[in-house]
Amino acid sequence: MTPNDLDRAVLAMKRSNGAMPDLCRRLCEGDLWVLVPYHPELADQDFELKNGMPFPFAQFQGEHGLAVPVFSSEARLQEGLKRGNVPPGKFLPGTMPALQLLEVLGKSEMKMTLNKGCATGEVTLPPKLLRDLASGSALKPQGLGSGKTEQLTLKIFNPADYPTYLVQSVFDLCRKHHQFRAVWIFTRKVRGQRPPALPPCYLLVLMDPRDEVLFHDLNLVAQSAGEKHAVSISLADEKNAPYLAGVFRKFKPFYVAADYRPPGLPEGGDATSSSKP
């Protein structure tokens, strides 16, 4: 079966969480397919959602907890049923506008697993993200200077302690867009205390030129890949060469664009490798 755009986005997520922005955009387009437990009154007629009615969609218990299986097409739905050895007649297939379904699942505090059991791979998304996608806020840039200001004492992450999934996801997104020139990852310096098992992560990002849509995409990737880490992102001052030279001299970024030469770097010096971390 020929994959559609949403299928290709799910496939890309198998390779890297850096594909999250494209997945979210594709997920909001058109219709999605769902499963409803079989009932003779529902066969061969349209199904209408009404306030106060019991939750109508099939659910399953998986590694991410209770979730609703949703599919990108009827072909994927049938593939999922076949691969899951689901007996004929147990469920009825149905379609809903994507934004309406995302809103219903999000407000019901239900996770969604897209293309469960299919060759495309599957992706499970949390209810908050579903609500934000339905409202449009998940894909709406918030500006480059928004967010609260904090005074913190930070230290650079030891590469051996990198939150690997977060770092790799950010790396994969950055290398696709020339606006991203370098990225550092820090955590809080806490004197006299044992560091938490999942320390907060602070990304410092050098963009030139700045792009609010790509910066928003980076936030989306980082927040979804951070797992249980709290992740914050700040922009470095791309016009201040002495400041940048000092940052590069003191701290080693985990990503530097292959065509970028940091200011103040000695001839032949290496800020970091641009290959995979």
Side-chain angles (χ1 to χ4, degrees), residues 7-26:
D7 289 335
R8 284 186 279 272
V10 177
L11 280 164
M13 286 288 292
K14 290 175 67 175
R15 297 188 290 271
S16 171
N17 192 74
M20 177 63 78
D22 187 51
L23 174 73
C24 288
R25 292 186 175 97
R26 298 300 182 187

Side-chain angles (χ1 to χ4, degrees), residues 156 162 181-185 204 247-248 251-256 262 271-273:
I156 196 74
Y162 278 167
R181 314 311 285 152
V183 188
W184 295 259
I185 183 167
L204 179 64
V247 174
F248 275 100
F251 308 111
K252 189 170 184 178
F254 69 82
Y255 171 80
V256 175
T272 190
S273 170

